[in-house]
Amino acid sequence: MSYIRLLMIRPQDLLCPKPEGLYCPPGDFYIDPVRPVARAVITHGHADHARAGHGAVLATPQTLDIMGERYGLDFAQTVQAGAYGEKFARDDVEVTLVPAGHVLGSAQAVVRWKGLTMVVSGDYKRRRDPTCPAFEPIPCDVFISEATFGLPVFRHPDDREEIARLLRSVAQFPERSHLVGAYALGKAQRIIRLLREAGWDRPIHVHGALERLNALYERHGIDLGPLEPATTGKKPDFAGQIVIAPPSATQDRWSRRFPDPVTAFASGWMQVRARARQRGVELPLVISDHADWDELTATVDELRPGELWITHGREEALARWAELHGVPARAMALVGYEEEDDD
Amino acid sequence: MKAFAELLDRLSLTASRNAKLTLVRDYLRQTPDPDRGWALAALTGELSFDAAKPAFIRKAVEARMDPQLFAWSYDYVGDLAETVALVWPARPGANREPQLSEVVDALRGATRPEVQRLIEGWLDALQPTGRWALLKLMTGGLRVGLTARLAKRAVADMGAEPVPAVEIEELWHALHPPYEDLFAWLEGHGERPSSDNPGRFRPAMLAQALDEAVDFGKLDPADYSAEWKWDGIRVQAVNEGGVRRLYTRTGDDISKGFPDVVDALTAEGSIDGELLVMRDGRIASFGDLQQRLNRKSVDAKLLAKFPAGIRAYDLLAEGPEDTRPLPFAERRRRLEAFVAREQSDRIDLSPIQPFATWAELTALRANPPAGDPQVSEGLMLKRLDSIYEAGRPKGPWFKWKRDPLLIDAVLMYAQRGHGKRSSFYSDYTFGVWTEDDAGQRVLTPVGKAYFGFTDEELKQIDKFVRDNTLERFGPVRSVRAEPHHGLVFEVAFEGLQRSTRHKSGVAMRFPRINRLRWDKPPGEADALSTLERMLAAQ
């Protein structure tokens, strides 16, 4: 804070909220804009952060690959691939992408200008994820954090324990199939990897909507093991099997092909029982690609930034926690970023 | 504790009866004594603790964290036990999860301050699901969607050779947690525990709802006996070997709340009947009976003001003899003699209603004669040759309830629901038209209902509430209700009572939403005078 005052540079001169998204006037670019803009830095490939139609895009090679897979190769006029740690100049603003630990290719955007460092976390988590490198804490003057799970009720358990519960249920109900709803990018592949690590080496059946992203993960060196389409085979063939599908498909008529399915859903929201009940989820798996309350607060505590800005999610609780712990905080309430998996 | 917590967690989200049976059965098979016995006692409602109240839990959590953050969390989750389980700021150091039996022993034995200290330590050591299960266990009422009946059914299935579920029901009241003798028998390494426990409960026989359109075509009126379905609660009074008890139909012992009734049964035996408040042989309203229910103790004044008795309709044991294998007609004959010998003003007979044809019975139900039948809930049909069989067998007994009363009322307020409805406005206060002091036509609330509609209709009403909100009061919203704009419910209910607690002066019994009248302008909904007329006609 004192450093910022000394320089007489205000953080909002470097990054400020605009309807299109977080804008950097001296570098003339947006971070994760929700509308088409001339220059964009994209933190990761989820659709609410990575949209098609921008002029120039800077993102990690994996994120560019994901955008190309989702929107076609002409999703932007020009693209620039930024490896983790590589420095880029946008006028006299320096931009570096560093791992955020959210999904394959996810990055925090580190923005430096005239001695001021601001870090945009994008979406992030602090736990091990077999499909992407771990979050890297960067000392900064302003930390701009997400707060999707910014309430003390969100305390994600160990994901291995959640997978163990799933496998116990598969053993307990051998006549039923287990239908796991998981977001198509990141969550689905993480679940598959976790199942492999837990020793499940049988084929996993996947919904068609996951196939291209699974193949993309495989191209990037994530071994998913034997996968089979969930569409072939007769009803009894799926007894005792694990099927992975986008969350919306688990409630859809599509799911009628499986024998008396146990509906599971892998999401941080599954921490709250009412959420599970509302969606008719019988086996909630609390597995999230976002930081939970403990991770959010531990990150703020570790970085001790001069200021904490909160982009989206449950801003008021995290802001209050930060204020109580001596970190000035500000809720930005950026619009256009959806709650995880709320499709 | 972990296995028990996982069981509760899964039960609470599982709708399928078979899946619930599998979950409980597997738990009982895989969990050692005495933990499984305590779990079974918790699931069947046999455990209750009064050492820890929700208020203490709330205080304990607020001492450890910012009350504002806790308040936001509670708002979001909506359930105290669940919120505390999730937010609990554990102090490091506690690393050994308690066993279920350890928790139960401590809760049964320790003093309140000791228990509070123990609970905090357990909460520190447990994971969120374990904490949630612990809090549910402590504060009573697991509410995981499993009836005691279903739990006993799972017990019957747990051995290599399943036993009939009624065997467990029959034994149940002679058993005590943690049921090591029961499990030993079911697993084939112990004797069958004795059910010979004087004053025990005998599992009740229940009736199916009659479907007039289908059933009358198939049934012969000559095979059945009819009597009124009384509007009290079903009980079993027993006097055996000097032990006198009064049970609800699910086997809860309510003797302490009804010493007058317990004393009335002087001969040895067990009778099945309806518990009612009776004055000079006439039935008082259900509201009067409610004054006596759910009390741990009663005083002389209450006993005098609301005298209770039993209207008997079956005889389960007479002296040492089990009469349940006898046909209904024979049991009835012996019941009549038994009640006559008792000569008590606390025990009378539910009279048989003679009829020859279904048409005759239909007419009787539509026009009950003056006196007690007017306040009955409808009719009961019992096959004359039916033995007394625990459970709800198909065919021998039917209940044929009266048609409900109906009115059209206007939605005035909506409140957020709980549990799986916590994102929906699902509890509705509705009103009817009356005139205020200035002679203006206004709505006055007459009741509240939160069921009777489908999930699809709930979504529609929820949207209507959100689109037509006038004001918000916490979880409650007032809704536009004008003669030409608003939502009309057809409300079904079982009867009306005078009430001083309700501004309108009337209270409904068992109100529910019968139909949504999107087609009806609120101005054409019913008036309070209609309810007054219904009340006068009762």
Side-chain angles (χ1 to χ4, degrees):
Chain A
M1 194 63 186
S2 55
Y3 190 59
I4 299 172
R5 289 222 184 85
L6 196 69
L7 288 164
M8 295 304 288
I9 300 168
R10 299 179 310 162
Q12 54 268 46
D13 295 335
L14 179 54
L15 285 173
C16 59
K18 286 214 178 191
E20 294 87 347
L22 203 54
Y23 180 60
C24 174
D28 187 27
F29 63 85
Y30 287 85
I31 298 173
D32 291 350
V34 296
R35 297 179 201 167
V37 299
R39 296 207 288 182
V41 175
I42 305 295
T43 61
H44 66 282
H46 278 144
D48 48 336
H49 292 258
R51 289 169 200 256
H54 303 309
V57 166
L58 170 65
T60 63
Q62 298 90 334
T63 298
L64 291 174
D65 204 7
I66 290 163
M67 292 175 78
E69 194 66 57
R70 290 194 140 171
Y71 303 124
L73 292 173
D74 56 349
F75 65 88
Q77 284 162 23
T78 61
V79 298
Q80 192 167 16
Y84 289 130
E86 204 180 336
K87 293 182 169 63
F88 292 88
R90 286 274 180 273
D91 299 329
D92 55 346
V93 177
E94 181 195 287
V95 180
T96 316
L97 298 174
V98 303
H102 178 55
V103 294
L104 178 71
S106 66
Q108 310 171 70
V110 181
V111 183
R112 291 196 172 91
W113 181 58
K114 296 184 178 173
L116 176 72
T117 301
M118 295 177 77
V119 173
V120 182
S121 75
D123 290 338
Y124 78 98
K125 70 172 173 291
R126 301 299 304 267
R127 301 160 188 247
R128 173 185 173 272
D129 180 336
T131 67
C132 63
F135 177 95
E136 199 178 304
I138 303 293
C140 54
D141 300 295
V142 179
F143 184 60
I144 304 180
S145 178
E146 62 137 327
T148 305
F149 291 113
L151 258 190
V153 297
F154 295 108
R155 323 275 292 273
H156 307 329
D158 187 334
D159 52 14
R160 288 166 302 187
E161 181 46 39
E162 297 300 283
I163 292 294
R165 276 201 306 123
L166 170 62
L167 292 178
R168 278 203 290 279
S169 183
V170 171
Q172 192 167 20
F173 296 100
E175 70 290 359
R176 306 174 72 185
S177 56
H178 281 66
L179 187 51
V180 184
Y183 196 61
L185 169 59
K187 189 69 64 66
Q189 296 78 22
R190 183 175 161 208
I191 298 291
I192 295 171
R193 267 313 309 160
L194 288 169
L195 280 165
R196 298 308 183 202
E197 289 180 1
W200 184 263
D201 48 13
R202 288 155 64 177
I204 294 173
H205 300 269
V206 295
H207 186 278
L210 306 180
E211 281 172 9
R212 285 165 59 183
L213 286 165
N214 286 345
L216 184 149
Y217 265 64
E218 295 259 9
R219 287 204 300 278
H220 283 273
I222 314 289
D223 178 13
L224 301 178
L227 303 179
E228 281 179 15
T231 41
T232 56
K234 293 196 177 66
K235 205 168 188 172
D237 300 343
F238 292 105
Q241 303 293 321
I242 296 175
V243 182
I244 304 198
S248 54
T250 62
Q251 302 278 359
D252 198 43
R253 283 187 299 181
W254 178 83
S255 65
R256 291 185 191 163
R257 72 189 67 230
F258 306 109
D260 187 16
V262 175
T263 305
F265 185 17
S267 162
W269 298 113
M270 291 296 102
Q271 188 100 71
V272 177
R273 319 178 64 77
R275 284 258 187 166
R277 282 201 203 100
Q278 265 161 34
R279 297 192 66 127
V281 172
E282 188 173 338
L283 185 66
L285 301 173
V286 188
I287 300 180
S288 175
D289 285 326
H290 291 267
D292 70 0
W293 175 256
D294 292 331
E295 293 168 68
L296 289 169
T297 55
T299 303
V300 175
D301 215 21
E302 178 181 358
L303 298 174
R304 301 297 305 178
E307 283 181 33
L308 172 70
W309 294 4
I310 305 162
T311 51
H312 61 285
R314 268 146 239 291
E315 305 96 313
E316 70 283 351
L318 184 59
R320 178 169 174 91
W321 182 92
E323 296 280 353
L324 290 173
H325 289 76
V327 176
R330 176 183 152 197
M332 304 175 79
L334 291 187
V335 292
Y337 302 107
E338 289 138 21
E339 293 194 335
E340 182 201 46
D341 306 332
D342 237 26
D343 55 347
Chain B
M1 196 69 203
K2 199 171 164 186
F4 177 62
E6 188 171 330
L7 174 68
L8 293 192
D9 185 45
R10 293 232 38 191
L11 284 173
S12 73
L13 292 168
T14 298
S16 146
R17 184 176 174 275
N18 284 340
K20 286 180 192 186
L21 281 173
T22 303
L23 291 166
V24 178
R25 182 201 65 195
D26 289 359
Y27 172 84
L28 295 173
R29 282 180 180 169
Q30 289 157 13
T31 309
D33 288 321
D35 270 22
R36 59 179 173 178
W38 292 120
L40 180 61
L43 291 171
T44 50
E46 302 281 322
L47 278 184
S48 75
F49 310 110
D50 54 4
K53 292 281 176 249
F56 146 71
I57 319 269
R58 188 169 183 154
K59 237 187 252 161
V61 76
E62 284 183 343
R64 289 193 181 201
M65 74 183 283
D66 175 39
Q68 179 65 65
L69 287 175
F70 176 74
W72 281 334
S73 299
Y74 187 22
D75 263 6
Y76 182 81
V77 175
D79 175 277
L80 184 65
E82 187 178 347
T83 310
V84 172
L86 292 171
V87 304
W88 185 257
R91 292 195 181 119
N95 53 14
R96 194 187 65 85
E97 292 201 358
Q99 296 287 316
L100 176 59
S101 49
E102 189 182 336
V103 170
V104 171
D105 284 345
L107 288 176
R108 281 154 62 98
T111 63
R112 191 167 292 199
E114 281 169 351
V115 164
Q116 297 191 351
R117 192 180 45 77
L118 280 170
I119 289 168
E120 291 205 35
W122 293 330
L123 290 173
D124 284 343
L126 289 163
Q127 296 298 305
T129 310
R131 288 183 205 134
W132 171 76
L134 173 68
L135 294 172
K136 288 234 160 214
L137 181 72
M138 274 171 12
T139 51
L142 296 178
R143 282 179 302 170
V144 289
L146 182 86
T147 58
R149 224 177 130 68
L150 200 60
K152 290 172 203 163
R153 174 68 212 276
V155 173
D157 288 349
M158 73 177 277
E161 289 287 323
V163 300
V166 285
E167 284 263 305
I168 307 295
E169 294 267 3
E170 187 77 45
L171 284 173
W172 191 254
H173 282 272
L175 299 169
H176 300 284
Y179 312 115
E180 276 144 334
D181 50 348
L182 173 69
F183 297 135
W185 168 56
L186 292 167
E187 287 176 341
H189 48 82
E191 292 291 300
R192 183 181 190 274
S194 166
S195 62
D196 195 15
N197 186 31
R200 76 199 161 92
F201 171 75
R202 291 167 173 81
M205 177 161 176
L206 305 171
Q208 281 185 293
L210 184 84
D211 183 346
E212 341 168 6
V214 180
D215 294 325
F216 282 159
K218 295 191 295 195
L219 306 177
D220 183 349
D223 291 339
Y224 284 85
S225 154
E227 58 194 278
W228 296 107
K229 184 178 187 314
W230 303 110
D231 187 15
I233 67 165
R234 176 96 178 263
V235 291
Q236 197 176 105
V238 57
N239 177 7
E240 277 175 322
V243 180
R244 296 188 197 192
R245 296 245 167 82
L246 188 67
Y247 296 103
T248 66
R249 67 162 222 205
T250 49
D252 295 332
D253 186 345
I254 52 168
S255 312
K256 284 204 179 101
F258 294 91
D260 45 349
V261 180
V262 172
D263 288 346
L265 185 61
T266 55
E268 295 250 323
S270 173
I271 56 175
D272 185 6
E274 197 83 1
L275 182 68
L276 298 157
V277 165
M278 291 195 275
R279 297 192 184 92
D280 303 323
R282 279 210 60 177
I283 299 177
S285 76
F286 189 78
D288 280 9
L289 180 61
Q290 270 175 323
Q291 303 297 320
R292 292 285 306 268
L293 296 175
N294 300 319
R295 285 179 188 272
K296 287 208 176 104
S297 64
V298 284
D299 56 32
K301 208 172 127 195
L302 199 71
L303 288 175
K305 199 167 172 203
F306 302 103
I310 295 177
R311 189 150 283 184
Y313 34 67
D314 219 321
L315 186 70
L316 311 184
E318 187 174 15
E321 184 189 353
D322 186 350
T323 52
R324 293 176 295 171
L326 302 174
F328 175 74
E330 173 64 11
R331 293 200 308 275
R332 172 75 195 187
R333 198 183 57 71
R334 291 175 60 161
L335 175 72
E336 286 173 10
F338 187 93
V339 170
R341 282 196 304 275
E342 283 291 286
Q343 289 188 333
S344 166
D345 57 357
R346 300 277 183 180
I347 301 174
D348 66 9
L349 272 175
S350 172
I352 298 290
Q353 304 302 310
F355 68 101
T357 64
W358 295 128
E360 222 175 281
L361 196 66
T362 306
L364 182 70
R365 171 174 168 270
N367 294 300
D372 290 345
Q374 294 273 343
V375 296
S376 74
E377 287 188 297
L379 287 164
M380 292 295 302
L381 292 174
K382 296 174 182 173
R383 256 190 92 96
L384 293 163
D385 61 1
S386 59
I387 60 162
Y388 194 93
E389 193 180 347
R392 201 187 297 276
K394 290 194 171 79
W397 286 14
F398 291 99
K399 56 185 172 191
W400 192 20
K401 284 207 181 186
R402 267 212 314 229
D403 293 331
L405 299 166
L406 297 174
I407 56 151
D408 288 330
V410 186
L411 171 65
M412 297 177 70
Y413 303 96
Q415 183 172 355
R416 257 176 198 282
H418 294 280
K420 74 175 174 187
R421 285 168 160 192
S422 59
S423 74
F424 289 102
Y425 286 88
S426 64
D427 298 10
Y428 311 113
T429 301
F430 45 83
V432 293
W433 296 103
T434 184
E435 280 187 4
D436 67 8
D437 298 338
Q440 288 288 319
R441 203 161 173 253
V442 291
L443 286 167
T444 184
V446 289
K448 218 176 158 184
Y450 46 89
F451 65 99
F453 36 81
T454 63
D455 287 355
E456 195 44 48
E457 287 171 332
L458 172 61
K459 277 186 203 156
Q460 295 165 4
I461 308 171
D462 180 68
K463 183 166 189 318
F464 177 86
V465 169
R466 289 170 196 274
D467 293 348
N468 290 281
T469 299
L470 293 176
E471 282 180 280
R472 298 170 187 215
F473 321 90
V476 178
R477 293 183 180 205
S478 64
V479 181
R480 272 183 75 182
E482 300 150 16
H484 298 287
H485 188 96
L487 175 55
V488 176
F489 291 144
E490 182 180 271
V491 177
F493 54 100
E494 297 301 313
L496 286 169
Q497 282 166 19
R498 289 260 164 232
S499 165
T500 49
R501 290 213 317 249
H502 295 74
K503 204 172 143 196
S504 60
V506 294
M508 291 177 175
R509 278 207 52 208
F510 199 47
R512 66 265 185 195
I513 310 295
N514 204 44
R515 205 149 52 110
L516 305 184
R517 297 294 307 265
W518 296 106
D519 56 311
K520 190 158 197 168
E524 294 175 22
D526 280 309
L528 187 58
S529 53
T530 310
L531 287 174
E532 296 282 359
R533 272 199 304 276
M534 287 177 171
L535 191 61
Q538 274 182 32

